[in-house]
Amino acid sequence: MDKTFIPSLNVNLPKLGFGCMRLLDDGQGNIESAPALKLLHAALEAGVDYFDTAYVYHSGKAEAFLGKEFFATLPKDKFMVATKLPVSRIKDISACEPLFREQLSNLHVEFIDFYLAHSLNKKSWCRFRDLGGADFLLRLKKEGRVRFMGFSYHGEPEELAQVLDDFPWEFVQLQINYYDWPPLTQNAQLQYEEVVKRNLPLLLMEPVRGGSLAKLPPAAIDFLSAYEPSPNQARWAMRWAGSLPAVHMILSGMNSEQQLNENLATFSGFKPLTEQEQQIMSQLTYLLHQQPHVNCTGCDYCKEACPQRILISSAFESYNDYLRLKDERILRNYRIFNPADRQSTCCTSCGSCTPLCPQGLDIPQELSGLNKILASLG
């Protein structure tokens, strides 16, 4: 596994980090132990020693699973753990200390290597800071309970600079992929450049955009097939991400041996895209932006806020497949394989989910579009 030395942190990071948000579970957050542990140990043996989780992952059960079943079985110098403070949940600064202690206990560690303020935007950061959150983070760092302090960002690209300059951050985690690079989506290029200006270590998340860039529409596959027979769509996305010179590590939410093995092959003796391949990816990005879709990455941040417990990301996954392929069987299967009381048709348009969407989607409106098509199918 390729490694990158970061002088400002005096640490070696693997080019590939293990994102623990998409491990196989039962739909209630209970992780399937045997396949998850097999995957985690295989990654560690291959040199992937950075594991990224969060307080809210897998319905709040990820940290405890990883701590008890994985981290507690290993010497601490064999792995690095990253987890996140759920800033949006903090209403009073007094809640931070017990929550952090709970995270240490869940993870079976005495300190956190990489601690992130989770899913910041300008508004959430300013609110948390004014509650006393900045002082709390500084205290964790001073007391040695956190090695490196950073944040993940899902706000307006133009507001990132203020968040970067408002605290002595030691690293940044951004959603960057070739689809989100242009200004008409997440404007990842602008965010990337703001971090480069400040010479901060940059960790990259969502390189395959929640798996969307591994399931391209037929027109995109046909385009890539002109350059590579049976193109490996995820590898193209990973190589594009890994070719950005200022990116120190790429997080991948792996949940199968195939995904792990493909990523290990990509980032062991990594080969950046050639100039011709860069042009191919630019053309592919343009082509994809002509396709209909809902910009959901499957992060499931919205799910907890839904009083109807709708499986929102599952609904959008089926909806996007239908929009791209125009195959009614996709939506019929959606009806068959999802609990009736958790389908999109249960949406009351209350809007509780919308503020939590990192992509800024008007979720009830998008679900309404799906529901109209479902109604037309009878």
Side-chain angles (χ1 to χ4, degrees):
M1 171 54 53
D2 295 356
K3 299 275 186 174
T4 302
F5 179 70
I6 303 179
S8 63
L9 306 182
N10 192 31
V11 67
N12 271 307
L13 288 183
K15 190 72 172 176
L16 174 68
F18 200 122
C20 301
M21 186 174 78
R22 293 187 170 93
L23 297 169
L24 297 178
D25 68 16
D26 63 356
Q28 312 267 327
N30 299 301
I31 296 169
E32 297 181 17
S33 180
L37 290 175
K38 183 178 181 180
L39 206 61
L40 291 164
H41 281 288
L44 185 63
E45 290 172 10
V48 180
D49 56 2
Y50 184 104
F51 299 90
D52 171 271
T53 185
Y55 187 80
V56 299
Y57 286 178
H58 289 278
S59 301
K61 300 174 183 178
E63 288 182 341
F65 171 83
L66 291 166
K68 179 180 178 181
E69 303 295 335
F70 187 52
F71 296 144
T73 68
L74 304 170
K76 182 61 184 74
D77 62 353
K78 297 300 182 183
F79 66 92
M80 291 174 282
V81 59
T83 195
K84 307 174 186 76
L85 174 68
V87 169
S88 63
R89 294 190 175 193
I90 303 301
K91 309 304 180 188
D92 188 293
I93 199 62
S94 63
C96 287
E97 179 63 30
L99 191 151
F100 183 77
R101 289 178 180 270
E102 179 187 352
Q103 290 183 289
L104 291 178
S105 176
N106 283 340
L107 292 164
H108 288 256
V109 295
E110 295 181 357
F111 62 89
I112 306 295
D113 296 287
F114 289 76
Y115 198 53
L116 298 90
H118 195 182
S119 193
L120 289 188
N121 55 43
K122 177 184 174 182
K123 182 178 179 180
S124 65
W125 164 248
C126 290
R127 184 191 66 83
F128 178 66
R129 178 201 62 196
D130 294 345
L131 283 174
D135 292 336
F136 173 73
L137 297 180
L138 288 171
R139 180 162 59 85
L140 290 180
K141 174 71 177 178
K142 181 179 180 181
E143 293 173 353
R145 293 191 287 168
V146 168
R147 288 178 68 194
F148 309 117
M149 195 69 69
F151 68 96
S152 61
Y153 189 74
H154 286 293
E156 295 296 324
E158 296 77 14
E159 296 176 346
L160 174 59
Q162 179 175 337
V163 179
L164 286 168
D165 294 336
D166 209 29
F167 186 83
W169 305 108
E170 295 174 282
F171 69 99
V172 184
Q173 187 167 303
L174 295 179
Q175 175 177 313
I176 299 179
N177 53 68
Y178 68 82
Y179 182 90
D180 287 323
W181 193 250
L184 48 144
T185 50
Q186 301 292 318
N187 203 349
Q189 182 177 5
L190 173 61
Q191 298 179 62
Y192 173 86
E193 290 170 353
E194 290 293 346
V195 175
V196 170
K197 287 179 190 176
R198 292 158 179 81
N199 200 30
L200 280 170
L202 175 57
L203 313 185
L204 186 155
M205 58 182 167
E206 301 288 4
V208 193
R209 213 173 194 275
S212 296
L213 302 182
K215 301 175 184 177
L216 296 174
I221 296 174
D222 290 344
F223 173 80
L224 282 178
S225 296
Y227 304 95
E228 176 188 326
S230 302
N232 188 313
Q233 302 162 59
R235 185 172 295 169
W236 277 97
M238 286 292 193
R239 287 189 61 216
W240 181 93
S243 299
L244 293 169
V247 171
H248 293 85
M249 186 180 67
I250 294 166
L251 288 166
S252 177
M254 298 169 281
N255 58 29
S256 72
E257 290 184 61
Q258 178 182 351
Q259 292 173 358
L260 174 61
N261 291 334
E262 287 183 357
N263 286 340
L264 290 174
T266 299
F267 293 111
S268 299
F270 179 74
K271 296 179 180 179
L273 294 176
T274 65
E275 184 176 344
Q276 181 190 21
E277 288 171 330
Q278 291 282 9
Q279 293 174 355
I280 291 170
M281 296 306 290
S282 295
Q283 294 169 24
L284 175 63
T285 303
Y286 177 81
L287 186 154
L288 283 174
H289 281 290
Q290 313 310 307
Q291 305 297 311
H293 63 280
V294 177
N295 288 323
C296 173
T297 67
C299 70
D300 276 337
Y301 292 162
C302 57
K303 186 169 68 174
E304 290 187 32
C306 179
Q308 306 302 319
R309 299 174 64 245
I310 295 169
L311 300 174
I312 297 171
S313 64
S314 176
F316 283 151
E317 181 179 5
S318 296
Y319 189 26
N320 281 337
D321 285 344
Y322 171 78
L323 289 173
R324 289 166 175 160
L325 302 175
K326 301 298 183 184
D327 185 346
E328 292 182 358
R329 291 174 298 177
I330 294 170
L331 297 186
R332 298 192 190 282
N333 286 336
Y334 167 72
R335 283 175 165 170
I336 293 169
F337 294 111
N338 286 274
D341 61 349
R342 302 189 70 181
Q343 292 185 17
S344 61
T345 49
C346 297
C347 178
T348 63
S349 298
C350 70
S352 299
C353 52
T354 297
L356 297 181
C357 179
Q359 314 309 321
L361 295 176
D362 184 339
I363 295 174
Q365 181 179 342
E366 298 289 0
L367 289 177
S368 175
L370 168 59
N371 291 338
K372 289 178 182 177
I373 298 174
L374 287 171
S376 73
L377 296 179

